[in-house]
Amino acid sequence: MDFLTLIQVLDSTVRLATPLLLACLAGLFSERAGIFDIGLEGKMLASAFFSAAVAAVTGDVWLGLLAGIAASLVLSGLHGLASITFRGNQLISGLAVTMLAQGFTVVIAQRWFQQGGRTPSLMTEGRFGPITFPFAEAIAEVPVIGPIYAELLSGHSILVYLAFAAVPASWWLLYRTRFGLRLRAVGENPEAVDTAGISVVGLRFAAVGICGVLCGLAGAYLATSLQAGFVKDMTAGRGYIALAALIFAKWRPWHAMGACLLFGLLQAVALRFQNIELGGITIPVQMMDALPYILTVVILAGFVGKAIPPKAGGEPYVKER
């Protein structure tokens, strides 16, 4: 593999890791507050559809982004209502959100556009375009530094830079602010938080809301940046992969970025190198495509070490009287 090919693979890694990173951070906030959310997939899917649909109708990608975030927040609100207010089973609620999104996105898409459950292809105004850094073209030919700056760092959409900026922002919010301290405390010992006069329900709904915004960004990125429109089940299990990355990262923001980049690298390698020969044996393309999902199973099976979730995770809080 030459240097330019390596840069291209890493460039694809960054692009493919972006929706995983946003969804992983979404799950991080929710689960740190004690609300397990396996509905990340559904919220990303709903956001992808509404962002693409609104962008296709209006020609404005920013309106599409707002529509996607709004759709994700609605589903987050439903999950919060079921798991926080009514103290339902959080896993069942999250699964219901995903199943709901998988159904209504296709039905509404067919009703609105009559294109087999997909939206029209987005034109330039309906997509987030690449951002070129200053002097990128001028130094592109400089050995080593030029390709890294012009190809790897420059040329991504604004949502890519926003996703990676969200990592230090999430770390600072969780570990350097009063809100973050309370959020982590409510996932470990909600009784102590309640005793201090702080609303457990309010903090958990705030975490679910942040989760909805980040999932909205992830879904909108899929439909308006990574691709040019919505197709059925376009998230392709990315919500579940993000959950696996979150467990792999042990619920820590910086480690979550590393885990998502690892999954993105596997996807990039699968797209770039197909039918690889190793020792005279040709590895089929299907095997390469399955690598991220195989790693997901390995992580969830516990082969990467013990990951201890927040102590109050998955348990509804009942205030003592």
Side-chain angles (χ1 to χ4, degrees), residues 191-269:
E191 292 82 5
V193 174
D194 193 19
T195 302
I198 302 168
S199 173
V200 173
V201 171
L203 280 170
R204 287 188 166 179
F205 266 110
V208 169
I210 295 172
C211 175
V213 171
L214 290 171
C215 280
L217 292 172
Y221 172 79
L222 285 174
T224 61
S225 184
L226 190 64
Q227 299 185 34
F230 173 84
V231 296
K232 179 182 177 182
D233 293 333
M234 70 180 302
T235 48
R238 285 182 173 90
Y240 301 111
I241 293 177
L243 283 176
L246 181 60
I247 295 171
F248 188 23
K250 296 180 173 62
W251 295 271
R252 292 173 291 184
W254 289 107
H255 295 74
M257 182 179 71
C260 291
L261 286 172
L262 174 61
F263 280 106
L265 176 63
L266 291 177
Q267 291 179 336
V269 169

Side-chain angles (χ1 to χ4, degrees), residues 37-54:
D37 193 353
I38 64 171
L40 302 177
E41 178 90 358
K43 283 177 276 193
M44 290 171 65
L45 195 61
S47 172
F49 167 68
F50 281 102
S51 61
V54 171

Side-chain angles (χ1 to χ4, degrees), residues 128-174:
F128 284 104
I131 297 176
T132 303
F133 286 1
F135 312 112
E137 295 183 1
I139 67 172
E141 301 301 324
V142 177
V144 182
I145 297 177
I148 292 177
Y149 182 77
E151 299 291 336
L152 182 57
L153 300 180
S154 176
H156 300 288
S157 73
I158 189 172
L159 294 182
V160 174
Y161 301 113
L162 183 62
F164 284 91
V167 175
S170 297
W171 175 86
W172 178 82
L173 185 62
L174 283 171

Side-chain angles (χ1 to χ4, degrees), residues 43 67-81 97 100 104 212:
K43 283 177 276 193
I69 293 175
S72 179
L73 281 172
V74 168
L75 292 183
S76 284
L78 289 176
H79 179 56
L81 189 67
V97 164
L100 177 65
F104 77 70

